[in-house]
Amino acid sequence: MTATLTRAEPAPFKPAFKHSAEGGQGRHAVLFLLPALIGFAAFYLYPSVRGVWLSVTDWNLLSEPAFVGLDNYAELATDPLFWKALLLTAYNTVLNLVGQLTLALLLAALMHRLTKSVVLRATLLLPWLVPNVATALLWLWLLDANLGFVNQLLNAMGLPTHGFFNAPAEAMPSVAAVTTWASVGYVALLLYAGMLQIPASVYEAAAMDGAGEVRTFFRVTLPLLRPVLALVLVVSVIGCFQIFDTIAVATRGGPVNATKVIYYYIYQEAFTHFRMGYAAAMALSLVLILGVLTWVQMRLMRASDSDLG
């Protein structure tokens, strides 16, 4: 009688401390995230929930909020100043987008094709680093109708004096020009960073096909820059809708409400007329408008897709 001995296969190794290790990592992750979660709850979540509640109340800061249902939203629908403020905000947004994107694309393309100077990039960023209040005060003096340097220069060239911030037709373009001056360097650097991600082999292939600089820019650079352009467009639109400090310092919504954008109108209703409930309703409506605009931009520009593969 013979016996056949077979060697059993070793069981796969299963560390006994696996679950405890994962649990420990999870607890550590929660501890690291806890400060950010507390900050998010204190400075974003609670104010948002509080704002939704205030938007259906009548509150003047001195008495208890009184529930009024959807009365604030019904008043919004028939408030001509609210709709005018939205139109002025959209006007300012269009002026800024045209000016910022055109100049920023030009600057980024020049930097990408001609120079890699760090000093030049740092210089472009300087206006963006200046606080908006200081920028508004600087241009308020430069564009002053009587003593401003710009009008003195125009007069020396034989051109008439311009009111800039004091003329209803020129006030909003002047505000848009100031914000464009402050932001164009930052936007140019974002686009320049996007251009650096485009492989050099693509430009070499375009050059071998005989494409010039202009044709390469429109046929190669712009299409491959689409995800970055989508990001810049979304951030720029939100930033233009949030313009406040430049308006508050330079024009205070005037002349004749010519620059009373939506943020400044919300501020006036809340802290000048003490209508916190109505201001909260306007703020919540603005959040919904920006959410819809952002979704449309992301969908139209296919921001999550890249042609680089």
Side-chain angles (χ1 to χ4, degrees):
M1 179 177 180
T2 58
T4 303
L5 298 177
T6 58
R7 188 173 182 178
E9 291 293 331
F13 176 71
K14 294 182 180 179
F17 52 86
K18 180 180 179 183
H19 295 295
S20 61
E22 290 180 351
Q25 289 179 356
R27 284 193 294 272
H28 290 157
V30 170
L31 284 177
F32 279 113
L33 288 174
L34 195 58
L37 291 175
I38 293 174
F40 176 78
F43 298 108
Y44 288 93
L45 186 60
Y46 173 72
S48 299
V49 175
R50 177 80 171 165
V52 172
W53 158 244
L54 289 179
S55 70
V56 292
T57 65
D58 181 15
W59 186 37
N60 61 4
L61 291 175
L62 299 177
S63 59
E64 289 295 322
F67 181 73
V68 295
L70 298 178
D71 287 358
N72 289 327
Y73 293 97
E75 184 179 347
L76 270 184
T78 58
D79 183 359
L81 283 179
F82 172 71
W83 294 108
K84 183 179 180 181
L86 278 181
L87 287 176
L88 285 172
T89 306
Y91 179 41
N92 173 63
T93 302
V94 171
L95 291 177
N96 269 284
L97 289 182
V98 172
Q100 281 185 27
L101 288 182
T102 304
L103 292 175
L105 276 172
L106 179 63
L107 288 172
L110 289 176
M111 284 192 295
H112 183 237
R113 304 298 287 172
L114 300 179
T115 178
K116 309 291 183 187
S117 170
V118 177
V119 176
L120 178 60
R121 279 179 271 167
T123 305
L124 282 177
L125 203 58
L126 283 179
W128 183 72
L129 297 176
V130 179
N132 288 334
V133 172
T135 299
L137 286 172
L138 171 67
W139 283 99
L140 188 63
W141 174 76
L142 288 174
L143 299 178
D144 184 82
N146 299 315
L147 303 174
F149 172 77
V150 175
N151 269 316
Q152 297 294 329
L153 188 62
L154 290 176
N155 291 336
M157 297 168 63
L159 298 173
T161 300
H162 285 263
F164 294 113
F165 292 130
N166 299 322
E170 299 177 8
M172 187 55 80
S174 300
V175 170
V178 170
T179 51
T180 296
W181 173 83
S183 304
V184 69
Y186 173 70
V187 176
L189 287 183
L190 289 178
L191 297 175
Y192 173 71
M195 290 178 183
L196 290 179
Q197 304 303 315
I198 301 174
S201 57
V202 178
Y203 289 105
E204 292 170 2
M208 291 179 65
D209 288 341
E213 289 293 335
V214 175
R215 188 178 177 190
T216 301
F217 176 77
F218 285 104
R219 296 295 181 88
V220 175
T221 304
L222 269 185
L224 295 180
L225 201 61
R226 181 173 42 76
V228 180
L229 275 173
L231 168 70
V232 169
L233 193 61
V234 169
V235 172
S236 298
V237 168
I238 294 175
C240 290
F241 268 78
Q242 291 176 335
I243 184 172
F244 173 77
D245 32 22
T246 305
I247 296 287
V249 172
T251 65
R252 298 183 180 181
V256 202
N257 294 332
T259 58
K260 186 182 280 188
V261 292
I262 188 65
Y263 251 54
Y264 194 76
Y265 188 38
I266 292 173
Y267 163 78
Q268 279 193 323
E269 289 299 308
F271 299 105
T272 303
H273 303 142
F274 301 108
R275 301 185 65 201
M276 300 300 291
Y278 190 59
M282 283 196 289
L284 199 62
S285 302
L286 182 60
V287 169
L288 295 176
I289 291 171
L290 285 176
V292 171
L293 282 178
T294 302
W295 181 80
V296 170
Q297 291 175 76
M298 300 291 280
R299 293 284 294 180
L300 289 180
M301 298 197 70
R302 295 185 291 121
S304 57
D305 299 331
S306 174
D307 295 329
L308 288 173

